[in-house]
Amino acid sequence: QVQLVESGGGSVQAGGTLRLSCVASPSTYISASTSTYISVAWFRQPPGNPGTEREAVAGLYLADGSTMYADSVKGRFTISRDSADNTVYLQMNNLKPEDTAVYRCAVGRRPILYNVDWDKTFVYDHWGRGTQVTVSS
């Protein structure tokens, strides 16, 4: 059974930084050696309204290293992967109060038109439970 576990969330003031981690179990699930079509992404959902759709903020396509970012985080967030331990990171700099949300990592293993579909929830088969990020002004 695949599990994704996020960590690194917390409370910071505006302008601060956080680095989120997502560890996959088994680790080979996000190893490029086991699939050509692995997509990894970070989504977020603001608190207080369960009906709010998840917003994709950053994605990584392991086959060619392509990365995608939501306009709202470009230049501030960076997604990366440590191939040694198959952990996916989200470096978040210059945080803003509007970044406050639960952040979840997600992994999918299917061929897609990455630059078109990277932010669609149907692409991803497994999701972590999330880690809370709170940014105060």
Side-chain angles (χ1 to χ4, degrees):
Q1 183 177 357
V2 176
Q3 289 189 323
L4 303 174
V5 179
E6 303 94 337
S7 62
S11 297
V12 297
Q13 290 190 326
T17 64
L18 285 172
R19 189 174 80 155
L20 306 184
S21 300
C22 173
V23 178
S25 176
S27 62
T28 52
Y29 192 70
I30 57 170
S31 169
S33 66
T34 61
S35 173
T36 304
Y37 306 113
I38 299 175
S39 302
V40 183
W42 286 92
F43 284 73
R44 68 185 180 187
Q45 187 165 18
N49 186 355
T52 303
E53 286 192 8
R54 301 169 196 172
E55 175 193 15
V57 295
L60 172 64
Y61 194 51
L62 297 193
D64 61 7
S66 297
T67 55
M68 300 292 287
Y69 296 94
D71 288 342
S72 58
V73 306
K74 278 181 183 175
R76 300 188 298 121
F77 290 12
T78 304
I79 187 171
S80 62
R81 182 179 73 97
D82 184 332
S83 60
D85 60 11
N86 285 307
T87 299
V88 178
Y89 300 96
L90 184 67
Q91 177 69 40
M92 304 188 296
N93 300 329
N94 190 23
L95 283 160
K96 303 176 180 180
E98 52 264 42
D99 295 320
T100 295
V102 174
Y103 284 72
R104 302 176 69 183
C105 68
V107 179
R109 291 160 62 105
R110 67 188 69 195
I112 60 172
L113 191 58
Y114 187 68
N115 61 339
V116 173
D117 293 328
W118 75 276
D119 57 349
K120 308 297 191 298
T121 56
F122 77 83
V123 170
Y124 304 95
D125 303 303
H126 296 279
W127 296 77
R129 292 187 175 183
T131 184
Q132 175 71 47
V133 171
T134 303
V135 185
S136 57
S137 57

